[in-house]
């Protein structure tokens, strides 16, 4: 009678539903955290670009003390959340869990290097844009080699950097903002390198957050 009433089945489904709910909640939490990190980095790094007069926004869209257009941080935050959630998902789909340098100290160093690359693009003077672009390309690939080294990470970095560069070209073409001294159609030639480094950085943060979630899920049955 107990089985007919479905009570054992309900008990069997209970943990499964709880796990699904926990995973969904954890994914939302990870997305919010990644969004917040993306917004913060966008404000800081865009401030460097604006102060150096690399990026120019029309006066009517200067909306904060950070001299950033209002739409830049939310867009960067959304992109960061999508990238950070996509990387561990791709690792899981490929059956190749990323295990290279999986600790928070390595992630923090990756973020520091990414900020340094952005700082170099805005502050360091080179003889010409070609030298700057080649230098930033080498630094970006070095960042991937130092903190990632996965084929999926490199492939996603290149693809997303290409799409981001294309989107930026369209925005500049339509007059949303502009770059001083563009040398790659409407933008600077080093911008894809910055996008690539940013993708690798947010991917590392997303992977580390996903790793922490897996540890929590694995430890819960032992406590129960």
């Amino acid at each position: 009678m107990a089985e007919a009433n479905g009570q054992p089945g309900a008990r069997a489904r209970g943990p499964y539903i709880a796990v699904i709910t926990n995973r969904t909640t954890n994914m939302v939490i990870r997305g919010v955290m990644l969004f917040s990190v993306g917004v913060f980095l966008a404000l800081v790094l865009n401030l460097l670009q604006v102060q150096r007069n690399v990026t120019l926004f029309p006066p009517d869209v200067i909306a904060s003390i950070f001299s950033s257009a209002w739409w830049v941080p939310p867009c960067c935050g959304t992109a960061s959340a999508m990238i950070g959630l996509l990387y561990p998902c791709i690792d899981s789909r490929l059956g190749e869990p990323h295990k290279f340098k999986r600790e928070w100290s390595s992630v923090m160093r990756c973020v520091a290097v990414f900020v340094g690359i952005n700082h170099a693009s805005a502050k360091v003077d080179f003889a010409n844009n070609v030298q700057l672009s080649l230098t930033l390309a080498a630094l970006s690939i070095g960042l991937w080699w130092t903190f990632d080294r996965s084929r999926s990470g490199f492939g996603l970095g290149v693809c997303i950097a290409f799409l981001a560069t294309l989107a930026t070209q369209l925005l500049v073409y339509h007059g949303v903002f502009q770059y001083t001294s563009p040398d790659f159609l409407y933008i600077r030639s080093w911008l894809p390198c910055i996008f690539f480094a940013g993708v690798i950085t947010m991917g590392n943060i997303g992977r580390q957050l996903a790793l922490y979630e897996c540890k929590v899920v694995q430890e819960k049955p032992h406590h129960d």
Side-chain angles (χ1 to χ4, degrees), residues 16-34:
Y16 176 77
I17 295 175
V19 169
I20 295 298
T21 303
N22 288 337
R23 287 179 177 175
T24 302
T25 302
N26 290 333
M27 181 173 290
V28 172
I29 293 174
R30 282 191 286 136
V32 172
M33 295 176 67
L34 289 163

PDB file of all heavy atoms in Angstrom, residues 16-34:
ATOM      1  N   TYR A  16      16.515  14.125  -5.418  1.00  0.00           N
ATOM      2  CA  TYR A  16      16.788  14.541  -6.793  1.00  0.00           C
ATOM      3  C   TYR A  16      16.297  15.966  -7.037  1.00  0.00           C
ATOM      4  O   TYR A  16      17.010  16.800  -7.587  1.00  0.00           O
ATOM      5  CB  TYR A  16      16.114  13.582  -7.765  1.00  0.00           C
ATOM      6  CG  TYR A  16      16.255  13.979  -9.210  1.00  0.00           C
ATOM      7  CD1 TYR A  16      17.438  13.770  -9.902  1.00  0.00           C
ATOM      8  CD2 TYR A  16      15.190  14.589  -9.884  1.00  0.00           C
ATOM      9  CE1 TYR A  16      17.574  14.145 -11.232  1.00  0.00           C
ATOM     10  CE2 TYR A  16      15.310  14.956 -11.211  1.00  0.00           C
ATOM     11  CZ  TYR A  16      16.504  14.726 -11.867  1.00  0.00           C
ATOM     12  OH  TYR A  16      16.634  15.105 -13.180  1.00  0.00           O
ATOM     13  N   ILE A  17      15.058  16.243  -6.607  1.00  0.00           N
ATOM     14  CA  ILE A  17      14.503  17.594  -6.774  1.00  0.00           C
ATOM     15  C   ILE A  17      15.322  18.605  -5.982  1.00  0.00           C
ATOM     16  O   ILE A  17      15.581  19.722  -6.439  1.00  0.00           O
ATOM     17  CB  ILE A  17      13.029  17.613  -6.332  1.00  0.00           C
ATOM     18  CG1 ILE A  17      12.188  16.724  -7.267  1.00  0.00           C
ATOM     19  CG2 ILE A  17      12.482  19.036  -6.325  1.00  0.00           C
ATOM     20  CD1 ILE A  17      10.743  16.578  -6.828  1.00  0.00           C
ATOM     21  N   ALA A  18      15.773  18.190  -4.789  1.00  0.00           N
ATOM     22  CA  ALA A  18      16.576  19.098  -3.969  1.00  0.00           C
ATOM     23  C   ALA A  18      17.885  19.438  -4.657  1.00  0.00           C
ATOM     24  O   ALA A  18      18.337  20.590  -4.641  1.00  0.00           O
ATOM     25  CB  ALA A  18      16.839  18.466  -2.599  1.00  0.00           C
ATOM     26  N   VAL A  19      18.511  18.415  -5.288  1.00  0.00           N
ATOM     27  CA  VAL A  19      19.778  18.666  -5.987  1.00  0.00           C
ATOM     28  C   VAL A  19      19.577  19.610  -7.155  1.00  0.00           C
ATOM     29  O   VAL A  19      20.348  20.549  -7.372  1.00  0.00           O
ATOM     30  CB  VAL A  19      20.392  17.323  -6.462  1.00  0.00           C
ATOM     31  CG1 VAL A  19      21.553  17.589  -7.419  1.00  0.00           C
ATOM     32  CG2 VAL A  19      20.869  16.511  -5.270  1.00  0.00           C
ATOM     33  N   ILE A  20      18.508  19.382  -7.944  1.00  0.00           N
ATOM     34  CA  ILE A  20      18.223  20.252  -9.089  1.00  0.00           C
ATOM     35  C   ILE A  20      17.984  21.680  -8.613  1.00  0.00           C
ATOM     36  O   ILE A  20      18.484  22.645  -9.199  1.00  0.00           O
ATOM     37  CB  ILE A  20      17.000  19.734  -9.876  1.00  0.00           C
ATOM     38  CG1 ILE A  20      17.320  18.366 -10.487  1.00  0.00           C
ATOM     39  CG2 ILE A  20      16.590  20.728 -10.948  1.00  0.00           C
ATOM     40  CD1 ILE A  20      18.460  18.387 -11.486  1.00  0.00           C
ATOM     41  N   THR A  21      17.211  21.812  -7.534  1.00  0.00           N
ATOM     42  CA  THR A  21      16.931  23.146  -6.998  1.00  0.00           C
ATOM     43  C   THR A  21      18.208  23.822  -6.527  1.00  0.00           C
ATOM     44  O   THR A  21      18.438  25.005  -6.784  1.00  0.00           O
ATOM     45  CB  THR A  21      15.925  23.044  -5.838  1.00  0.00           C
ATOM     46  OG1 THR A  21      14.742  22.404  -6.303  1.00  0.00           O
ATOM     47  CG2 THR A  21      15.588  24.430  -5.310  1.00  0.00           C
ATOM     48  N   ASN A  22      19.064  23.053  -5.854  1.00  0.00           N
ATOM     49  CA  ASN A  22      20.325  23.611  -5.375  1.00  0.00           C
ATOM     50  C   ASN A  22      21.211  24.048  -6.529  1.00  0.00           C
ATOM     51  O   ASN A  22      21.855  25.088  -6.474  1.00  0.00           O
ATOM     52  CB  ASN A  22      21.061  22.587  -4.502  1.00  0.00           C
ATOM     53  CG  ASN A  22      20.379  22.397  -3.156  1.00  0.00           C
ATOM     54  OD1 ASN A  22      19.653  23.268  -2.703  1.00  0.00           O
ATOM     55  ND2 ASN A  22      20.606  21.249  -2.536  1.00  0.00           N
ATOM     56  N   ARG A  23      21.259  23.239  -7.581  1.00  0.00           N
ATOM     57  CA  ARG A  23      22.081  23.579  -8.736  1.00  0.00           C
ATOM     58  C   ARG A  23      21.566  24.848  -9.413  1.00  0.00           C
ATOM     59  O   ARG A  23      22.352  25.706  -9.811  1.00  0.00           O
ATOM     60  CB  ARG A  23      22.108  22.417  -9.735  1.00  0.00           C
ATOM     61  CG  ARG A  23      22.943  21.236  -9.271  1.00  0.00           C
ATOM     62  CD  ARG A  23      22.914  20.115 -10.294  1.00  0.00           C
ATOM     63  NE  ARG A  23      23.766  18.999  -9.881  1.00  0.00           N
ATOM     64  CZ  ARG A  23      23.856  17.855 -10.543  1.00  0.00           C
ATOM     65  NH1 ARG A  23      23.135  17.674 -11.646  1.00  0.00           N
ATOM     66  NH2 ARG A  23      24.653  16.895 -10.105  1.00  0.00           N
ATOM     67  N   THR A  24      20.245  24.951  -9.531  1.00  0.00           N
ATOM     68  CA  THR A  24      19.674  26.150 -10.137  1.00  0.00           C
ATOM     69  C   THR A  24      19.973  27.379  -9.295  1.00  0.00           C
ATOM     70  O   THR A  24      20.369  28.425  -9.810  1.00  0.00           O
ATOM     71  CB  THR A  24      18.151  25.989 -10.305  1.00  0.00           C
ATOM     72  OG1 THR A  24      17.882  24.830 -11.101  1.00  0.00           O
ATOM     73  CG2 THR A  24      17.562  27.216 -10.984  1.00  0.00           C
ATOM     74  N   THR A  25      19.796  27.241  -7.987  1.00  0.00           N
ATOM     75  CA  THR A  25      20.086  28.358  -7.091  1.00  0.00           C
ATOM     76  C   THR A  25      21.553  28.749  -7.143  1.00  0.00           C
ATOM     77  O   THR A  25      21.898  29.939  -7.208  1.00  0.00           O
ATOM     78  CB  THR A  25      19.697  27.987  -5.642  1.00  0.00           C
ATOM     79  OG1 THR A  25      18.313  27.632  -5.600  1.00  0.00           O
ATOM     80  CG2 THR A  25      19.946  29.158  -4.703  1.00  0.00           C
ATOM     81  N   ASN A  26      22.428  27.737  -7.139  1.00  0.00           N
ATOM     82  CA  ASN A  26      23.863  28.014  -7.200  1.00  0.00           C
ATOM     83  C   ASN A  26      24.248  28.681  -8.511  1.00  0.00           C
ATOM     84  O   ASN A  26      25.121  29.555  -8.542  1.00  0.00           O
ATOM     85  CB  ASN A  26      24.657  26.721  -7.019  1.00  0.00           C
ATOM     86  CG  ASN A  26      24.574  26.177  -5.611  1.00  0.00           C
ATOM     87  OD1 ASN A  26      24.372  26.941  -4.673  1.00  0.00           O
ATOM     88  ND2 ASN A  26      24.725  24.876  -5.459  1.00  0.00           N
ATOM     89  N   MET A  27      23.602  28.267  -9.603  1.00  0.00           N
ATOM     90  CA  MET A  27      23.897  28.889 -10.894  1.00  0.00           C
ATOM     91  C   MET A  27      23.482  30.352 -10.898  1.00  0.00           C
ATOM     92  O   MET A  27      24.199  31.214 -11.421  1.00  0.00           O
ATOM     93  CB  MET A  27      23.195  28.134 -12.024  1.00  0.00           C
ATOM     94  CG  MET A  27      23.474  28.711 -13.406  1.00  0.00           C
ATOM     95  SD  MET A  27      22.802  27.700 -14.745  1.00  0.00           S
ATOM     96  CE  MET A  27      23.887  26.262 -14.645  1.00  0.00           C
ATOM     97  N   VAL A  28      22.324  30.642 -10.304  1.00  0.00           N
ATOM     98  CA  VAL A  28      21.881  32.031 -10.207  1.00  0.00           C
ATOM     99  C   VAL A  28      22.852  32.849  -9.361  1.00  0.00           C
ATOM    100  O   VAL A  28      23.228  33.972  -9.718  1.00  0.00           O
ATOM    101  CB  VAL A  28      20.460  32.105  -9.617  1.00  0.00           C
ATOM    102  CG1 VAL A  28      20.072  33.557  -9.333  1.00  0.00           C
ATOM    103  CG2 VAL A  28      19.453  31.463 -10.567  1.00  0.00           C
ATOM    104  N   ILE A  29      23.294  32.263  -8.256  1.00  0.00           N
ATOM    105  CA  ILE A  29      24.248  32.962  -7.384  1.00  0.00           C
ATOM    106  C   ILE A  29      25.558  33.206  -8.125  1.00  0.00           C
ATOM    107  O   ILE A  29      26.132  34.300  -8.060  1.00  0.00           O
ATOM    108  CB  ILE A  29      24.491  32.143  -6.102  1.00  0.00           C
ATOM    109  CG1 ILE A  29      23.217  32.087  -5.261  1.00  0.00           C
ATOM    110  CG2 ILE A  29      25.639  32.744  -5.286  1.00  0.00           C
ATOM    111  CD1 ILE A  29      23.314  31.189  -4.056  1.00  0.00           C
ATOM    112  N   ARG A  30      26.028  32.189  -8.847  1.00  0.00           N
ATOM    113  CA  ARG A  30      27.260  32.367  -9.624  1.00  0.00           C
ATOM    114  C   ARG A  30      27.091  33.444 -10.680  1.00  0.00           C
ATOM    115  O   ARG A  30      27.990  34.258 -10.918  1.00  0.00           O
ATOM    116  CB  ARG A  30      27.659  31.046 -10.285  1.00  0.00           C
ATOM    117  CG  ARG A  30      28.331  30.060  -9.340  1.00  0.00           C
ATOM    118  CD  ARG A  30      28.930  28.905 -10.109  1.00  0.00           C
ATOM    119  NE  ARG A  30      27.925  27.990 -10.601  1.00  0.00           N
ATOM    120  CZ  ARG A  30      27.912  27.476 -11.825  1.00  0.00           C
ATOM    121  NH1 ARG A  30      28.832  27.813 -12.703  1.00  0.00           N
ATOM    122  NH2 ARG A  30      26.963  26.634 -12.190  1.00  0.00           N
ATOM    123  N   GLY A  31      25.920  33.448 -11.334  1.00  0.00           N
ATOM    124  CA  GLY A  31      25.668  34.465 -12.351  1.00  0.00           C
ATOM    125  C   GLY A  31      25.682  35.870 -11.779  1.00  0.00           C
ATOM    126  O   GLY A  31      26.247  36.790 -12.371  1.00  0.00           O
ATOM    127  N   VAL A  32      25.073  36.037 -10.597  1.00  0.00           N
ATOM    128  CA  VAL A  32      25.064  37.352  -9.955  1.00  0.00           C
ATOM    129  C   VAL A  32      26.473  37.781  -9.567  1.00  0.00           C
ATOM    130  O   VAL A  32      26.869  38.938  -9.753  1.00  0.00           O
ATOM    131  CB  VAL A  32      24.142  37.332  -8.717  1.00  0.00           C
ATOM    132  CG1 VAL A  32      24.275  38.623  -7.919  1.00  0.00           C
ATOM    133  CG2 VAL A  32      22.690  37.123  -9.136  1.00  0.00           C
ATOM    134  N   MET A  33      27.252  36.855  -9.040  1.00  0.00           N
ATOM    135  CA  MET A  33      28.627  37.169  -8.659  1.00  0.00           C
ATOM    136  C   MET A  33      29.467  37.543  -9.875  1.00  0.00           C
ATOM    137  O   MET A  33      30.234  38.513  -9.845  1.00  0.00           O
ATOM    138  CB  MET A  33      29.249  35.987  -7.919  1.00  0.00           C
ATOM    139  CG  MET A  33      28.597  35.678  -6.584  1.00  0.00           C
ATOM    140  SD  MET A  33      29.276  34.206  -5.772  1.00  0.00           S
ATOM    141  CE  MET A  33      30.945  34.805  -5.402  1.00  0.00           C
ATOM    142  N   LEU A  34      29.321  36.782 -10.949  1.00  0.00           N
ATOM    143  CA  LEU A  34      30.061  37.082 -12.177  1.00  0.00           C
ATOM    144  C   LEU A  34      29.629  38.419 -12.764  1.00  0.00           C
ATOM    145  O   LEU A  34      30.464  39.194 -13.258  1.00  0.00           O
ATOM    146  CB  LEU A  34      29.845  35.960 -13.197  1.00  0.00           C
ATOM    147  CG  LEU A  34      30.517  34.627 -12.870  1.00  0.00           C
ATOM    148  CD1 LEU A  34      29.915  33.505 -13.704  1.00  0.00           C
ATOM    149  CD2 LEU A  34      32.022  34.725 -13.104  1.00  0.00           C
TER     150      LEU A  34
END
